[in-house]
Amino acid sequence: MESFIEQVVANHMTRKVKTVARDLTLRELGDLFEREDFNTYPVEENGQVVGLVSKFDHLACFVFTPARMMPRYDELMGRTVADVMTSEFIYVGTDTRLTRVLQLMVDHRIRSMPVIDGDQRLAGIISREDVMRALQRCSRGRASLPR
């Protein structure tokens, strides 16, 4: 039986990751969020992850502020992912232990994070659900298989 303490990201991450480009408009991003049940997309440029964009980032554009009491919806929808993405983000490597992933997720209230390989390329994504499944498998004594 493999214990949770010994588990690494590579055995539990999702390898096929949908990404978005920096020039995608907020209208197009909103359509993606509506079609697919993802909370966050890695933003990729020239094979490198340059940021993350989430539903929260998308929604934050439409907040009413004293300076912008009535946001111009059509104008905002024409903005791009590059305008709203988070360029400083937490990521892990394929060999990172799940105990570390769990700690990062709890400390920073992160739903998912990109997995970057040794060549600084996107290798996958690890989510709360992936960690929860690993915990369940380990508690049942079943080894996990890469996805």
Side-chain angles (χ1 to χ4, degrees), residues 37-106:
D37 192 27
F38 297 134
N39 186 62
T40 302
Y41 288 99
V43 181
E44 205 169 30
E45 182 175 65
N46 299 323
Q48 301 284 317
V49 178
V50 295
L52 299 176
V53 66
S54 68
K55 286 180 180 175
F56 179 83
D57 296 325
H58 186 269
L59 288 173
C61 295
F62 300 94
V63 170
F64 287 64
T65 65
R68 193 176 67 211
M69 290 303 289
M70 197 58 131
R72 294 189 175 114
Y73 184 77
D74 286 334
E75 185 180 306
L76 289 173
M77 292 302 271
R79 292 179 70 190
T80 66
V81 164
D83 296 328
V84 301
M85 71 182 194
T86 302
S87 56
E88 292 184 22
F89 56 93
I90 296 172
Y91 63 91
V92 294
T94 55
D95 60 346
T96 303
R97 296 214 182 263
L98 286 188
T99 52
R100 177 67 178 144
V101 172
L102 177 59
Q103 190 65 56
L104 288 168
M105 286 180 167
V106 170

Side-chain angles (χ1 to χ4, degrees), residues 5 11 36 48 54 58 61-62 68 82 86 92 109 115 122 135 137 140 142-143 145:
I5 292 170
N11 296 329
E36 312 199 359
Q48 301 284 317
S54 68
H58 186 269
C61 295
F62 300 94
R68 193 176 67 211
T86 302
V92 294
R109 296 184 172 268
V115 181
L122 184 64
L135 280 165
R137 286 180 184 134
R140 293 182 191 133
R142 290 182 11 208
L145 300 173

